[in-house]
């Protein structure tokens, strides 16, 4: 494993643990009973920058860690967040560094807002999907009526979280020490 690869793994583990701790200590108590999910938003944000492979890996890892700390069947959040990562990664805008003099047709703020909306929709849908799966498995307390009733508040809460998380994820993943070497391409205005 290369030095950059090791740093990316350490950064991913740190991000997962931090998001789960903030979810349990700050986000969940503030928005209860609405299932707003900071870890899912993080998965979406990373996938929107680094693509479906990173989204799949981070989604499964974060979901599995979260599953192991809850009382519901292991694998529900791992599957839901894995799908968030793959979906958002498939919609990722290719990472391109623009050299001086190049014209960027899409302003950065439009990309950030687009990514925040995609992240919020994907995370709200994964929350509903997890509730459907838990209901299908017959898990105690899982009901469809509250899941549908909380859909719009969940979407709004995920959107509020997505704006800063998308910005931070994009900044961190473009940092030279964490940038994937094969993921960047230089576009020249002259060529």
């Amino acid at each position: 494993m290369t030095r950059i690869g090791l740093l990316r793994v350490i950064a991913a583990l740190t991000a997962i643990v931090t998001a789960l701790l903030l979810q349990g200590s700050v986000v969940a108590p503030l928005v209860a009973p609405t299932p707003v999910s900071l870890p899912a938003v993080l998965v979406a944000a990373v996938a929107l920058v680094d693509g479906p492979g990173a989204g799949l890996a981070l989604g499964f890892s974060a979901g599995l860690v979260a599953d192991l700390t809850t009382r519901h069947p292991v694998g529900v959040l791992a599957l839901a967040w894995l799908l968030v990562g793959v979906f958002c990664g498939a919609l990722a805008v290719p990472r391109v560094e623009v050299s001086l003099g190049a014209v960027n047709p899409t302003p950065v703020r439009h990309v950030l807002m687009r990514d925040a909306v995609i992240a919020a929709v994907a995370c709200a849908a994964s929350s509903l999907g997890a509730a459907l799966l838990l209901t299908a498995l017959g898990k105690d307390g899982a009901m469809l009526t509250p899941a549908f009733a909380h859909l719009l508040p969940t979407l709004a809460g995920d959107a509020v979280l997505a704006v800063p998380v998308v910005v931070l994820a994009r900044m961190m993943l473009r940092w030279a020490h964490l940038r994937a070497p094969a993921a960047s391409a230089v576009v020249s205005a002259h060529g």
Side-chain angles (χ1 to χ4, degrees):
M1 178 179 280
T2 66
R3 180 177 179 269
I4 289 177
L6 180 61
L7 288 174
R8 287 176 65 85
V9 168
I10 292 169
L13 291 172
T14 303
I16 290 169
V17 170
T18 302
L20 290 170
L21 289 173
L22 287 172
Q23 176 70 29
S25 63
V26 178
V27 176
L30 283 176
V31 299
T34 305
V36 174
S37 176
L38 178 61
V41 170
L42 175 67
V43 167
V46 168
L48 284 162
V49 174
D50 270 0
L56 183 147
L58 187 66
F60 178 78
S61 302
L64 184 61
V65 171
D67 280 335
L68 293 173
T69 62
T70 61
R71 298 174 69 164
H72 61 71
V74 173
V76 172
L77 291 177
L79 176 63
W81 295 351
L82 174 149
L83 292 174
V84 166
V86 171
F87 173 77
C88 289
L91 297 176
V93 174
R95 185 188 315 179
V96 176
E97 288 182 43
V98 181
S99 65
L100 293 176
V103 177
N104 185 358
T106 306
V108 174
R109 69 179 182 278
H110 289 106
V111 172
L112 294 175
M113 290 311 295
R114 170 196 172 273
D115 286 356
V117 168
I118 290 170
V121 169
C123 293
S126 78
S127 176
L128 182 60
L132 291 171
L133 182 57
L134 289 171
T135 303
L137 293 173
K139 186 65 181 160
D140 292 337
M143 296 182 294
L144 293 182
T145 305
F148 282 104
H150 291 293
L151 185 59
L152 288 179
T154 300
L155 179 62
D158 286 337
V160 168
L161 289 177
V163 173
V165 172
V166 163
V167 171
L168 286 172
R170 203 163 275 283
M171 284 178 14
M172 293 300 293
L173 291 171
R174 295 216 167 155
W175 187 41
H177 297 293
L178 294 177
R179 185 178 306 147
S184 64
V186 177
V187 176
S188 172
H190 306 296

